[in-house]
Amino acid sequence: DESEGFRDVDADTDSPTSPTGGEDASSEKRSWRNALFCQAGGSGCQDDPSIPRLDFVASTREGVEIHGVGSGRSATDVLRRFPPVQSPEGVSWSADGRWLGLLGARSVRVASAEQDFEVCCELPPLGGEEGQGLRSFHFSPLGQFVVCYESPNFNDDGEPTPNLGVWRLSSPASLLTALECTQWPSLKWNEDERWCCFLARDELQIFRGTADLERGIPVGAIRCDGVSSFEMSRGTGADSIAHAALFVPRSKTELARCEVYRLDDAGRPIAVQELSQADAVSMKWNAAGTALLLLASTDVDDSGKSYYGSTGLHYLRADGSIKCRVGESGGTVHDVAWCPSKDEFLVLQGDHPCHLALHDGRDAKMVLDFGKCRRNTIRWNPFGRFFSVGGFGQLAGDIDFWDLPSKTMLGRSRYECCVDCQWSSDGRFLLGWTTAPRMQVDNRVELFDYSGTRLFRLEFDKLYFASLRPSPPGTHKDRSPSPGRTRGLQAGDSRKAYSAPKSSGVLAATLRAMEEGGARTTARTAKEHAAEAAEAREKRQKAQQKEYREVPIPAHLSGSFIGSRGVAIRELKEQAGVPIEVVVPKDQQKTEGAMATVKIGPAGAWDDIGKAEALVRKKIEELIARQAQAPRKSVVVKELPISGEFVPKLIGTQGSTIQELTREVGVPVRVREKSGSKEEQVVVIGPSSKEGEEAVAELERAEQAVLAKIEEIREQRRAAREAREREPRRELQFVSVAPELVGGMIGYKGSTIEELSREAGVKLKVDRKQTDTDEEGRVLILSNDDNLIARAKEVIQAKADALRAAGQKGKGKSRDRDLNDRWPGQTGWWEQGWDGDRGWLEGRGWSDDQDWRDWGAWSESNAWNDERQRSEKREYNDSGDSSSRWWGDDSRRSWREGWDAREAAYDEGSEGYTPADRSVPSSTPKARHAGAAPPSFKGASDEEERKPAPPQEDPSIALAAQAREALQNGDAEGAKDLFSKALKLQPRDAMSLVGRSTAHLTLGSSQEAFTDASRAARLSPELAVA
């Protein structure tokens, strides 16, 4: 790549042939190539002994190689070779770089980096020669122990044997303990190895220090059913608090969740985060161990936006004080990484180009905005000063190098087909690699400095893994970038892109802008980001603003401007290219000299609204000139004043009468309001299609016909009034009912009184009668037919007897109250009576359009609806059963005792009236539709059809008695089932609820017991103590 200061010498130079051949030839070829790179301009080619060597391991097809990079960072030397390992994960450095682990066919060999990578020990499998061999391993954080995992083994009896060995790295290596595990990894330490946790089946065992682990005796355990993984906090030091985060996947009945425990007090979780959609979770602790990031992912995206599933990032404080979702825009979370030295983290989120932002680790709020880029990998250097953002995998391979303190980009480079990368321990270099099986060709490693300058490239025939050797803590110190060390942003690097001859280059510039997608070289603060977003929003709003114009036009020309069926105005729209419409004010449609308005628009920035206005004005001028040239024709009409009471009859149903009159007289006839008066109206006759005297004569004949029609209507009204006056008046018939039965007589929104009206075949109405001493309810019979009156009285009396019987049947020992004391302190919710057509009369309560307006209880907004809302003075009990009712204050006692069928059998809030006596017809539409066919209204000859069915024994009583007997005998489970069956038949039985609550309490289900007891107390406050 000549633009980056070096060239690939393999393309134009023949490499020398090594006499030895094989691996030596390959190594000599690589050294010779890198030497040519130095000659071609590579910086720092002379090694400085004072600068530490940079080592990395490479796992290839031939074996494992240890490469050393000198101070010039331009060439490598092979320091040591080992046989091939079992898998790409079979090579690992310890955290301090002292040890290198190599997973062989059956065992793990540990090499000491301090002794020129000599193998110091070999760790065999626990199963010996008969076992399957080791499958994986990892070092402890301080490099004192190695954890080796092998496949589960079973003895001759079929019992599992230990398959997880913990080895102490000493001279010689010794086995510390052996454990049995089912998943990997299952044993982890915190950073200072003061705490260790082991994940067993459905629990996490806690060990304090090495001694407890060696004895195999945990100091505590966290019981958590279904736990699949855990992560320990990274905090170190005596003052730090060690935490463990556990992930429990979702099940059929529960959501996935993450629980955080303190290891020194693991009795209960101190923070819990539920995850609505999570098949897997990556848990990341900050450096101090005070906050946790949860990167949840699903295999399938329910929204269908992504083929690769969905992701979500959640923030959780260790003490549970803050829980939130990170990211305002949402979208895919490509990567997230905590800063190693500060309490802050970087997030790549959103669709490509995605948004890169730095968030505060204390509250997850955005601190810096780095713009948008096509990247998916974040890597911090060990000191938290530099970080790189790369677009690997399916992206182009661009890498951005940032300096966080200065908030600037130091450089940009490109590494195609890069799989992963890693910063060196000194924080000055970045090593990237292309490995198999992800890429079967072009396997190599490349080294960059912190500004993005490529230092060298080393190719391999087949590379499986690469990793830089870490350094012990304190070996290096953080250093700021050298002055002027930026790359990729200088003028020399911004060379003009190629453009074809006679090409403007606009397309190429557009494609480059789309590729960059909002990338920036300087970070913005959250305040600057908000200001820029507001400015962009304002620009979008201005761009979306449309321009309008208005041109006045005489109202009488609006029809000509529009044309027949809108032909004229459509032609004008096509010429102008913008919408055009005519608006005529309603109050000036028939006024002499009225003006209308021609509205032009909306017009965007690309529309010529001036041209459209000129076309409209020209059209109006043409219409005015045409009108001036046309001969004037006198229009003669006649107007007759008419009283408003005659207008409906004159017009007729859907205008049938006035249309018939128009056809009869042969001229138009219409009715309009008289100017200045809304009570009087005017009949307009004309204009006539004739002229002169013929027109006048025709209008006079039409006028006489209209006057005759009005006189006919007047005579009809007079005859109807006299007939009503001659009709003899008779006393209104009614049936008196007790005041406590009025609610049941009316029914749900008047359903019962309407049903009784249909059954009696006559109109019935509920009213009240007030005397000097008392007041009573009355059911008025609106008929003069003696047979219908007698029939109605029988129906009303039968209904009253049924309501009274139902109320008496529900009386109990604790419910024996005077029926006359149920409506004190108020005039009654039936005060002005019920009318089937108008609801509650005279505005005192319920009507079809005003609801319970005077009570402030029921309305369209604060009703007893599905949300069970609560009004100011009414509390609705949403216990979920048919016992729900309204409870009012002392001044308005509620309607819960409207009529007493098992202590408020009528329920406005749920299923309505549920009678204990099955012979009483239900008052709710739902119950009526579910019951038998409605009774006949008139002409019923069968006397038995009018009588209520005999009462049947309630089976719930027998079930409740059996349940109480079972409870006394100690069968709590059977008693609970019997009480449940009884409650299905009678959901309002408070005693059955108390019994089932006792059964739940006996079985240890305290929550269910509390729920049943609460419902029983709401149904019957006397049972609250029980």
Side-chain angles (χ1 to χ4, degrees):
D1 191 343
E2 297 179 358
S3 64
E4 299 185 0
F6 74 96
R7 54 194 177 89
D8 190 350
V9 296
D10 286 343
D12 55 0
T13 306
D14 294 333
S15 58
T17 304
S18 173
T20 58
E23 295 182 359
D24 294 337
S26 177
S27 175
E28 184 175 351
K29 175 180 178 180
R30 291 195 295 267
S31 300
W32 172 82
R33 179 190 306 124
N34 296 326
L36 284 183
F37 161 69
C38 294
Q39 297 175 7
S43 60
C45 292
Q46 299 297 324
D47 289 345
D48 186 356
S50 63
I51 300 178
R53 189 181 64 199
L54 191 65
D55 297 341
F56 68 91
V57 61
S59 176
T60 66
R61 177 186 296 171
E62 295 79 13
V64 178
E65 301 176 355
I66 309 297
H67 291 261
V69 184
S71 59
R73 308 309 187 204
S74 59
T76 65
D77 295 324
V78 178
L79 306 178
R80 191 66 183 265
R81 290 186 175 90
F82 297 96
V85 292
Q86 185 181 128
S87 64
E89 295 80 12
V91 181
S92 177
W93 295 99
S94 63
D96 55 5
R98 290 186 300 156
W99 310 104
L100 175 66
L102 303 170
L103 179 61
R106 295 184 52 83
S107 61
V108 173
R109 291 175 296 169
V110 180
S112 174
E114 298 174 348
Q115 301 177 6
D116 295 333
F117 298 100
E118 292 290 338
V119 177
C120 61
C121 62
E122 185 172 356
L123 308 178
L126 298 176
E129 295 298 332
E130 299 178 357
Q132 301 180 10
L134 299 180
R135 290 292 175 264
S136 188
F137 74 98
H138 70 80
F139 291 94
S140 64
L142 298 182
Q144 302 183 47
F145 307 98
V146 180
V147 182
C148 299
Y149 170 76
E150 55 189 278
S151 300
N153 298 320
F154 299 90
N155 57 19
D156 297 338
D157 298 333
E159 297 179 355
T161 59
N163 60 332
L164 186 74
V166 182
W167 297 82
R168 188 196 303 271
L169 291 179
S170 58
S171 182
S174 60
L175 181 64
L176 182 69
T177 185
L179 303 170
E180 176 192 344
C181 70
T182 58
Q183 57 187 7
W184 173 262
S186 58
L187 185 68
K188 297 179 182 179
W189 286 267
N190 65 340
E191 292 291 328
D192 55 6
E193 296 188 7
R194 291 190 302 115
W195 294 90
C196 178
C197 291
F198 174 69
L199 182 61
R201 187 181 298 275
D202 294 335
E203 73 172 5
L204 185 69
Q205 299 176 3
I206 305 173
F207 300 90
R208 187 193 293 270
T210 307
D212 293 340
L213 182 61
E214 186 174 6
R215 290 193 302 267
I217 302 176
V219 297
I222 301 172
R223 182 68 183 177
C224 185
D225 294 339
V227 57
S228 64
S229 61
F230 74 100
E231 284 293 337
M232 298 187 64
S233 61
R234 299 170 51 193
T236 59
D239 298 335
S240 63
I241 300 175
H243 297 89
L246 282 68
F247 171 64
V248 182
R250 61 181 174 181
S251 61
K252 294 182 179 179
T253 58
E254 295 183 352
L255 297 175
R257 67 185 185 275
C258 177
E259 299 180 355
V260 179
Y261 293 83
R262 286 185 56 163
L263 297 185
D264 56 356
D265 184 13
R268 59 182 180 84
I270 58 176
V272 178
Q273 174 67 56
E274 288 190 345
L275 307 170
S276 58
Q277 293 183 349
D279 295 328
V281 168
S282 174
M283 298 174 284
K284 300 176 182 288
W285 285 96
N286 64 348
T290 57
L292 179 68
L293 288 175
L294 305 174
L295 180 56
S297 60
T298 59
D299 297 333
V300 178
D301 185 5
D302 296 336
S303 64
K305 295 181 179 179
S306 174
Y307 176 78
Y308 303 99
S310 61
T311 58
L313 184 61
H314 300 264
Y315 173 86
L316 177 64
R317 294 293 295 180
D319 56 2
S321 58
I322 301 178
K323 293 187 289 185
C324 64
R325 184 157 184 158
V326 180
E328 299 177 357
S329 59
T332 303
V333 179
H334 303 280
D335 198 6
V336 59
W338 284 99
C339 178
S341 58
K342 297 180 180 179
D343 195 8
E344 51 195 15
F345 59 92
L346 281 170
V347 179
L348 274 169
Q349 187 175 23
D351 298 333
H352 285 299
C354 57
H355 188 247
L356 175 63
L358 182 73
H359 293 257
D360 193 344
R362 295 169 295 183
D363 52 12
K365 293 183 178 179
M366 189 182 71
V367 178
L368 291 176
D369 171 35
F370 296 92
K372 293 185 176 182
C373 54
R374 298 182 184 274
R375 310 290 185 267
N376 57 10
T377 305
I378 301 172
R379 293 291 182 266
W380 288 93
N381 85 333
F383 303 101
R385 171 181 289 275
F386 305 131
F387 67 88
S388 64
V389 186
F392 304 149
Q394 296 181 352
L395 300 180
D398 294 316
I399 307 177
D400 299 335
F401 295 82
W402 287 84
D403 178 32
L404 183 60
S406 63
K407 307 174 188 176
T408 57
M409 183 189 295
L410 298 177
R412 177 178 296 164
S413 187
R414 173 167 290 191
Y415 181 4
E416 294 89 350
C417 304
C418 181
V419 174
D420 205 351
C421 59
Q422 177 189 2
W423 283 91
S424 61
S425 299
D426 59 0
R428 313 293 285 183
F429 303 96
L430 181 75
L431 181 70
W433 52 83
T434 303
T435 57
R438 178 63 181 273
M439 294 296 298
Q440 298 293 342
V441 296
D442 294 335
N443 289 175
R444 65 188 185 276
V445 297
E446 295 187 9
L447 186 69
F448 302 86
D449 68 359
Y450 61 86
S451 65
T453 302
R454 183 184 284 107
L455 301 179
F456 77 87
R457 177 171 56 198
L458 183 60
E459 296 182 354
F460 296 88
D461 294 334
K462 192 68 68 176
L463 178 66
Y464 299 108
F465 176 78
S467 176
L468 283 168
R469 175 192 172 190
S471 298
T475 304
H476 305 283
K477 294 183 179 180
D478 182 26
R479 290 190 297 156
S480 59
S482 302
R485 285 299 303 274
T486 59
R487 186 195 169 280
L489 307 176
Q490 300 175 356
D493 291 338
S494 304
R495 294 175 296 177
K496 183 178 180 180
Y498 169 79
S499 60
K502 299 183 180 180
S503 173
S504 61
V506 174
L507 178 60
T510 304
L511 293 176
R512 285 194 301 272
M514 292 175 61
E515 178 68 21
E516 293 175 359
R520 59 179 64 252
T521 58
T522 304
R524 299 171 304 175
T525 63
K527 191 173 183 180
E528 294 172 345
H529 173 73
E532 185 172 341
E535 183 180 355
R537 185 166 53 252
E538 184 178 356
K539 289 182 179 179
R540 288 194 304 269
Q541 292 174 355
K542 287 183 178 179
Q544 294 173 358
Q545 289 178 357
K546 305 297 183 180
E547 186 177 358
Y548 294 85
R549 299 276 180 92
E550 293 185 357
V551 179
I553 181 176
H556 66 277
L557 295 179
S558 57
S560 301
F561 187 87
I562 296 172
S564 176
R565 298 183 180 182
V567 173
I569 197 170
R570 281 200 299 270
E571 292 179 355
L572 197 60
K573 287 180 182 178
E574 293 176 359
Q575 296 177 12
V578 295
I580 299 174
E581 63 177 343
V582 180
V583 179
V584 181
K586 291 184 178 180
D587 56 345
Q588 298 185 10
Q589 289 181 355
K590 302 300 181 181
T591 306
E592 188 69 24
M595 297 296 292
T597 303
V598 179
K599 286 190 175 181
I600 308 171
W606 53 88
D607 295 322
D608 191 352
I609 194 170
K611 173 186 175 182
E613 182 180 3
L615 290 173
V616 170
R617 292 187 181 276
K618 181 179 179 181
K619 182 68 175 178
I620 295 174
E621 293 175 357
E622 292 177 356
L623 293 176
I624 294 175
R626 189 184 307 166
Q627 181 186 20
Q629 296 175 0
R632 291 184 175 273
K633 180 180 179 181
S634 60
V635 180
V636 181
V637 296
K638 282 185 174 294
E639 295 184 355
L640 294 177
I642 182 176
S643 177
E645 59 182 347
F646 299 131
V647 170
K649 289 291 185 180
L650 180 62
I651 295 175
T653 305
Q654 296 184 356
S656 59
T657 303
I658 199 168
Q659 291 175 9
E660 182 180 354
L661 188 61
T662 299
R663 289 191 296 269
E664 179 183 344
V665 300
V667 294
V669 180
R670 65 183 187 276
V671 181
R672 66 172 176 83
E673 290 183 357
K674 186 177 181 180
S675 302
S677 175
K678 292 187 177 181
E679 297 180 357
E680 297 184 4
Q681 301 191 35
V682 176
V683 180
V684 181
I685 307 171
S688 175
S689 59
K690 301 179 181 180
E691 298 181 0
E693 295 180 358
E694 293 181 359
V696 174
E698 187 177 30
L699 292 178
E700 288 178 354
R701 288 193 302 270
E703 181 181 7
Q704 295 301 323
V706 172
L707 289 174
K709 189 63 176 180
I710 294 174
E711 187 62 27
E712 179 184 348
I713 295 173
R714 184 180 288 110
E715 289 297 329
Q716 291 175 358
R717 291 174 58 86
R718 185 185 301 111
R721 185 168 56 252
E722 291 175 356
R724 286 195 301 269
E725 292 175 354
R726 287 194 302 269
E727 184 179 350
R729 289 181 174 272
R730 60 180 298 174
E731 186 177 357
L732 186 64
Q733 298 294 318
F734 64 89
V735 176
S736 300
V737 295
E740 65 271 12
L741 302 181
V742 173
M745 192 66 70
I746 295 171
Y748 179 74
K749 292 189 177 181
S751 58
T752 301
I753 194 66
E754 293 175 1
E755 184 178 337
L756 295 177
S757 298
R758 291 192 296 270
E759 184 177 353
V762 66
K763 179 71 174 179
L764 301 180
K765 170 185 173 184
V766 180
D767 198 0
R768 74 179 181 91
K769 178 182 179 182
Q770 188 170 3
T771 63
D772 296 337
T773 59
D774 200 358
E775 59 183 14
E776 63 180 10
R778 301 188 305 175
V779 181
L780 305 181
I781 306 172
L782 307 181
S783 176
N784 294 330
D785 192 332
D786 294 336
N787 294 332
L788 293 179
I789 292 174
R791 166 71 174 169
K793 288 184 177 181
E794 293 178 3
V795 173
I796 296 169
Q797 191 61 43
K799 181 64 178 178
D801 294 342
L803 292 175
R804 190 176 292 106
Q808 292 296 333
K809 184 175 181 179
K811 301 293 287 182
K813 180 178 180 180
S814 62
R815 305 170 182 168
D816 191 10
R817 292 191 292 274
D818 189 2
L819 293 176
N820 296 327
D821 293 339
R822 297 188 179 187
W823 301 87
Q826 59 160 328
T827 58
W829 58 320
W830 48 276
E831 180 178 7
Q832 297 297 333
W834 169 268
D835 189 326
D837 293 334
R838 294 181 294 168
W840 293 99
L841 305 183
E842 300 186 13
R844 296 297 302 172
W846 193 88
S847 65
D848 285 338
D849 55 348
Q850 296 184 2
D851 306 316
W852 297 94
R853 53 175 186 173
D854 290 343
W855 283 39
W858 194 92
S859 66
E860 292 293 340
S861 59
N862 56 343
W864 46 86
N865 51 16
D866 290 339
E867 288 80 36
R868 304 293 195 251
Q869 300 179 0
R870 303 174 186 271
S871 59
E872 181 179 0
K873 294 185 178 181
R874 297 293 184 270
E875 180 180 1
Y876 184 79
N877 166 27
D878 60 346
S879 59
D881 58 280
S882 59
S883 64
S884 306
R885 69 196 66 185
W886 282 82
W887 296 83
D889 52 12
D890 293 338
S891 61
R892 298 179 179 182
R893 294 288 181 86
S894 82
W895 50 86
R896 69 183 177 90
E897 297 174 350
W899 62 282
D900 191 1
R902 293 185 67 86
E903 185 66 12
Y906 179 68
D907 179 15
E908 288 284 350
S910 57
E911 294 297 328
Y913 161 60
T914 307
D917 187 352
R918 304 302 179 185
S919 65
V920 182
S922 174
S923 59
T924 62
K926 181 175 180 180
R928 289 201 309 274
H929 295 163
S936 58
F937 301 126
K938 301 174 66 176
S941 58
D942 189 356
E943 188 67 16
E944 296 299 329
E945 182 180 351
R946 307 176 189 176
K947 295 182 180 180
Q952 301 176 0
E953 182 180 357
D954 191 350
S956 65
I957 299 177
L959 288 172
Q962 297 175 15
R964 283 190 288 271
E965 183 178 358
L967 193 61
Q968 292 176 358
N969 295 335
D971 185 7
E973 188 67 31
K976 182 191 72 173
D977 296 337
L978 290 172
F979 277 127
S980 300
K981 293 179 180 179
L983 287 170
K984 287 183 178 179
L985 299 175
Q986 285 294 343
R988 308 170 59 88
D989 191 351
M991 295 303 298
S992 296
L993 285 169
V994 173
R996 191 169 71 174
S997 174
T998 306
H1000 278 307
L1001 200 59
T1002 305
L1003 295 172
S1005 302
S1006 58
Q1007 182 62 38
E1008 289 78 1
F1010 175 76
T1011 302
D1012 287 341
S1014 301
R1015 290 174 57 187
R1018 294 190 188 99
L1019 288 173
S1020 182
E1022 303 89 341
L1023 299 176
V1025 176

